[in-house]
Amino acid sequence: MLDVRKLIMLRAVASEGSIAAAGRALRYTRSAVSQQLTALENEAGTALVNRAGNRVTLTPSGRNLVEHAERILAELRAAEAMLSSDAEGITGLLRVGVPFREGPRIMSRALSEVRRRFPELEIRLAAITDEAGAQAVRRDQLDMVIVSRYGAAQPRTASGLREWVLGQDPLRLCVPADHPLASAQSAAMAQLRNESWIMCPDSRLGQLTMSLCITAGFEPKLAATVDDIGTAIGLVGIGWGITIAPELTPAGTEAKLARLPIDGLDTVRHSVVIVRDGEHLSPRIAAAIAAVCAVSAEPPATDAS
């Protein structure tokens, strides 16, 4: 019978792309992972990985086995959740990743509601980016993340994960309060050719903004490149430039800006909660999901700009 621990190592190698990286993720030495992979190949009776220098790729058999491993791990997590469901009260540690300063206030409201309902549950927050959130859950670095997704609300969920859409808000052009467009009903991208732009170039939103500018026939003049939308909005508030951000992204108490629709742009930001498949049945995570979803169903509060 195949060893589940070896399957976890194969899954890590597939996810990380190398034996050394898988070892770091699992806190094993490179040689230990290599030995376990070799042992797993002997048990399976076939090659599972192709070793080429520092990179490792899976053979067709290896890819098929990883798909089975995901289902096996999901069932094991579900079994553990069933066993823990008899425990009294909601306790334990819940590690939650959120993109600080970026998400709508539904995130803080939702997590505050989880804490209010379950005071014995320890909630530990960690800063996470939208791009890294799902992988952090898959690698068991976090139990839950609340991240943003632009465009389609429900693309194919990554293997081994489950997700729920909490809400959505449209993208808006953010300009300083004294900008000539501040009182306009909307703006066209072509009007923004000569503006100074503030962007998060490595994020999906930054890439979308760059694409919108190029499609409108110009390359944006960058006044600042930042790591999060909250910082970008703060710079807009002091008159440093303009940016595009989701409507419900908090502006901060001192930021004075206007948000207006962009002609022809109907892309929205979806706020999504992600957990591991199977663990959604555990009392602490199921309770957190229920509380988060309950808050998301409430009418959103309007953020002051």
Side-chain angles (χ1 to χ4, degrees), residues 143-166:
D143 301 306
M144 170 189 291
V145 295
I146 303 176
V147 296
S148 298
R149 177 176 295 141
Y150 299 93
Q154 291 278 18
R156 189 176 75 86
T157 303
S159 179
L161 300 177
R162 289 211 177 196
E163 60 183 52
W164 290 259
V165 176
L166 302 179

Side-chain angles (χ1 to χ4, degrees), residues 218-229:
F218 66 93
E219 186 170 336
K221 180 178 68 175
L222 296 180
T225 57
V226 297
D227 293 331
D228 65 88
I229 306 170

Side-chain angles (χ1 to χ4, degrees), residues 56-133:
V56 174
T57 58
L58 268 61
T59 66
S61 294
R63 289 193 295 272
N64 288 335
L65 189 54
V66 167
E67 291 181 5
H68 284 288
E70 292 288 4
R71 292 194 290 271
I72 291 168
L73 292 173
E75 289 298 324
L76 285 174
R77 289 192 290 264
E80 290 173 348
M82 179 271 295
L83 292 174
S84 64
S85 64
D86 293 333
E88 293 184 4
I90 304 298
T91 61
L93 172 65
L94 183 67
R95 302 165 298 167
V96 183
V98 292
F100 291 119
R101 301 192 65 198
E102 293 194 16
R105 289 185 179 150
I106 182 180
M107 291 185 182
S108 57
R109 288 170 47 229
L111 293 174
S112 295
E113 176 65 9
V114 175
R115 174 179 279 181
R116 186 192 68 79
R117 291 189 186 187
F118 312 108
E120 299 302 315
L121 178 64
E122 179 186 356
I123 301 176
R124 182 182 300 163
L125 299 182
I128 195 71
T129 64
D130 294 329
E131 291 71 28

Side-chain angles (χ1 to χ4, degrees), residues 3 7 35-36 41 47 63 66 83 105 131 133 138 151 157 167 181-182 211 225-226 230 241-242 255 275 289 304:
D3 188 326
L7 292 178
Q35 290 170 8
Q36 292 297 305
E41 288 180 317
R63 289 193 295 272
V66 167
L83 292 174
R105 289 185 179 150
E131 291 71 28
R138 287 191 81 240
T157 303
L181 288 172
S211 176
T225 57
V226 297
I242 68 172
V275 302
I289 293 170

